[in-house]
Structure formats: C-alpha cells, structure tokens
Amino acid sequence: MNDLAPLLTPEGRALLDEVRGTAPADELAVATRLRRDHPAPLVSAALAQARLRQRAVAKFGAEDAHRMFFTPDGVEQSTRASVAAYRAARLKELGVTSVADLCCGIGGDAIALARAGIRVLAVDRDPATAATARANADALGLGGLIEVREADVTQVDTSGHDAVFVDPARRGGRGRIFDPEACSPPLSWAVAAARTARVAALKIAPGVPHEAVPADAEAEWISDHGDVKEAVLWFGTEPGAVRATLLPGPRALRGAHLPDPQVRPLGRYLYEPDGAVIRAHLVADVAAELDGGLLDATIAYVTADTLRPTPYATAYEITDQLPFNVKKLKALLRERGVGVLTVKKRGSAVEPEELRRKVKPQGPNAATVFLTRVAGAPTMLIGAPAAV
C-alpha cells in the first residue's frame, strides 16, 4: 500500500473510476491500454485496488466499497459493516459519545461508530494501515469525527474517552492465530485496557473457550445471516451474562444458565440452532423454548414433536431415520426422485460432497439429509425445511 498516496491524487482517482468493475480476464488488456497515458506503477496500483474493492463489496456494500481503500489484510480482517453498525448502535445506547478504537485496521469499526454520531480516536501502529483508515474516513466524509493516529496501542492514553474498543490482530506471518495470548496485542493486555474504561468491547475469535471469558465480562456471539462472525467481551454492562445475537434484526438470546437438555427419541421436527447460539452454549435455552431435547448428548441438534417459530433455529420436518448406509440412502433417494440434495453433518466424518458423488441424486424433487449420531449411533435423517 505504498501505492496509496498516488491513488489519492486526481489522476489516481480518475484511474480508479475507469478500472472499476474490470474483470480479471480483461486486466492485461486494460493495463496495456492505460499505460500509454499513465505511469505503469499507478495503473498496477489502481487495478490492484479495484480487485480489493470488488472483494470488499460483500462486507461493506457496493456504495461504500467502491469509495473506500483497502489492503489485502484489511479486506480479510475488517469487520462486516452490519456487525460494526450493530455494535456502534449498542455503544450509543449505553450513552457512549467517544471511543478509543485500538487496532483500528482500515477503519471499518471507526466508520460505523462515526456514523452513529460517536467521536473516534482510531489507532494502528502500521503506517500503511493507518494511512488507509485516514483515507477511508475522508472518502466517506467522516474525517471530522475520526482522528487516525499511527501509534503503538499499548502506549496510547485512552482516559479521555467514554469507551474502549479493542480488535487485536489474529493473523501473523503463518496465517490465523488461535492462541489469544499470541495475538497482537495479547488478550491479557486487551482485557486490562478494557477494564480502564466505563464501557469497553473487546473483539475476539468466536472459538474462544468459555473458560477464558473473564468473570467481570459479558460474552456475546454474533452471527449475520446464519454465519458466525465474531465474539465480543463487554465490560461495564452485565458481568457474567452470555448472549447470542443474530443479524439482521438484531435478535438477542440471553442465557438463563439452564442445565443441558435431556436426550430423547427423534420427534417429527429437527431444529438446527444458529451458529451463534451453539458457540454461546445456549442450545439448552432454545430446547426449552421449543419443548424439545437432544438426539445425542454431544450433538447440537434439537428435536421436538411440534413446530414452533423461533429465530434462533431452523426447523426441518423429518420423514425418515436410517442407520448410516450409503446404498440404502441411494435407493431411497432414487425411489423418491430426489435430484436436489442438501447434505448437513454434525458428528460425522463423512464429507457432504463425497456423499453426493456416491448417491448421484437425480430427479425433480429436493431433500435434506442430516449425517449425525442418535444416542451414539451413526444415523441418517431425511427431511425438508418446515414451513413455519
């Protein structure tokens, strides 16, 4: 991103407009044509930025993505706009007017906070990343609310802000980092920094062990359209609380500290809890809402005899329960003319694509197959989404 400064010039911005939407197959021809009138490094930088913007549309939407600037790591690691907007709204509801955004990256969270009317000090130690965050604040007309500072977050005084938001880097030279203490900065430092503010939010990986959640923190798992995006430790809210938040909505399920659900025989319906519910260990709360139980003590599928609407799980009507047997499944699907086969698995080593190749579904009908365990035994459940 040493190429960022030239892209901010009138010539660079004009080039970005010209190469917007360039297909990968057309890049060579476009580059050859543009290099007749523009420096080759600038053309290459514009095309690289156009590729990043195309990738960023899924997170930021087309309108923002094609105005913003990105780094490869920034596209990968930045918060999805819908999640950032939800968190900013929650901070606003908590009476927060200013936030120190530590490890701000390219500024995705800072943008959402500023759009909520919150003043932001956005800090990142990487010069190119900080420059990108500053360019994004300006590009979206938010420079008056966002101050970007290139600095080591561990050396920044946050005492003048209502809240602290920390998003430690979870990628290194060898890829994703799973040890919270190996993040930059480490989880222990981030927790200590969070405790210095009236309100704080600490973004962590959704796979964090529940044992690692501090007793004075609220733990929240967030999904967007069914995909788990992150976990957040909140300080200054509800110590010890656990919640799963589903976007869009938001819909929040607050844990009631229920015991594990009972294992019971398969009912007419199978419920697949949202990933945030599973990560938050709130399957028992969903089971209680549905008057259901588990098929297996170690599998997060809920079964019940009645169909009840819930935003926290997807319901399927089950027609068949079979011991795992590929030949029997193939015969049953052929008999019913199933050509559109959705395969879901939990507690099974069989890969969905492998099963599809073996059964070779053909026909006009659709079905869903669950590869799972029932009371410890490998089992296939066949059904379809239930109309609630």
Side-chain angles (χ1 to χ4, degrees):
M1 285 302 295
N2 293 331
D3 299 321
L4 179 60
L7 290 176
L8 300 177
T9 65
E11 181 182 14
R13 292 181 184 276
L15 265 180
L16 285 171
D17 289 339
E18 189 165 352
V19 301
R20 174 174 175 170
T22 300
D26 298 331
E27 282 191 1
L28 181 57
V30 170
T32 301
R33 174 175 57 81
L34 292 176
R35 283 170 181 163
R36 297 170 189 156
D37 302 310
H38 304 279
L42 182 58
V43 172
S44 297
L47 286 168
Q49 191 61 225
R51 286 196 300 271
L52 292 174
R53 286 177 166 183
Q54 290 171 14
R55 287 173 53 195
V57 167
K59 281 190 174 182
F60 290 91
E63 184 176 351
D64 280 354
H66 288 294
R67 296 163 63 195
M68 293 172 64
F69 297 88
F70 299 95
T71 66
D73 285 346
V75 172
E76 180 71 25
Q77 298 179 28
S78 57
T79 304
R80 182 176 290 266
S82 56
V83 178
Y86 158 73
R87 182 165 40 243
R90 187 171 180 198
L91 285 165
K92 185 76 172 179
E93 290 172 0
L94 290 167
V96 170
T97 61
S98 63
V99 172
D101 178 2
L102 307 182
C103 309
C104 69
I106 62 168
D109 281 283
I111 289 166
L113 290 164
R115 282 178 168 166
I118 297 172
R119 291 186 300 105
V120 186
L121 170 63
V123 184
D124 203 286
R125 69 180 180 183
D126 179 68
T129 302
T132 304
R134 190 174 295 110
N136 286 334
D138 292 339
L140 299 180
L142 299 169
L145 284 171
I146 301 174
E147 174 195 346
V148 179
R149 186 180 303 175
E150 179 192 326
D152 182 342
V153 297
T154 64
Q155 304 301 313
V156 174
D157 179 11
T158 63
S159 59
H161 299 273
D162 295 338
V164 169
F165 172 64
V166 192
D167 182 6
R170 293 186 297 279
R171 282 187 177 274
R174 297 184 178 180
R176 188 174 295 276
I177 296 171
F178 295 97
D179 179 4
E181 287 304 304
C183 293
S184 180
L187 178 62
S188 55
W189 180 89
V191 168
R195 287 172 173 153
T196 65
R198 177 176 69 82
V199 176
L202 169 54
K203 179 178 171 180
I204 55 176
V208 65
H210 281 233
E211 297 76 19
V213 175
D216 58 337
E218 172 195 341
E220 178 181 35
W221 279 260
I222 303 172
S223 68
D224 187 12
H225 289 90
D227 294 329
V228 182
K229 295 303 178 184
E230 63 182 58
V232 183
L233 299 182
W234 290 88
F235 294 83
T237 55
E238 300 179 72
V242 177
R243 74 169 69 195
T245 298
L246 282 56
L247 302 177
R251 297 181 176 91
L253 178 65
R254 192 179 184 283
H257 305 288
L258 299 179
D260 290 340
Q262 294 294 315
V263 175
R264 54 151 289 174
L266 176 68
R268 182 176 178 181
Y269 298 98
L270 182 74
Y271 291 85
E272 181 181 28
D274 183 271
V277 171
I278 295 173
R279 292 284 193 175
H281 295 182
L282 298 182
V283 174
D285 298 77
V286 172
E289 177 184 327
L290 299 171
D291 193 23
L294 299 181
L295 290 173
D296 186 279
T298 63
I299 305 293
Y301 282 140
V302 175
T303 186
D305 298 317
T306 56
L307 180 61
R308 298 183 183 180
T310 175
Y312 305 114
T314 303
Y316 296 84
E317 186 171 6
I318 301 301
T319 57
D320 300 89
Q321 176 180 349
L322 305 170
F324 182 81
N325 186 300
V326 175
K327 289 184 177 180
K328 288 185 178 180
L329 177 62
K330 185 175 181 179
L332 185 148
L333 296 177
R334 184 185 298 116
E335 175 186 331
R336 297 183 182 175
V338 173
V340 179
L341 182 65
T342 300
V343 181
K344 293 177 171 287
K345 71 165 196 167
R346 188 162 290 158
S348 172
V350 178
E351 292 299 327
E353 287 304 321
E354 176 188 352
L355 183 67
R356 285 194 192 91
R357 285 195 301 269
K358 289 181 177 180
V359 300
K360 300 176 182 177
Q362 293 181 346
N365 299 319
T368 300
V369 174
F370 293 87
L371 305 179
T372 187
R373 294 195 302 271
V374 174
T379 302
M380 300 182 300
L381 305 176
I382 298 93
V388 178

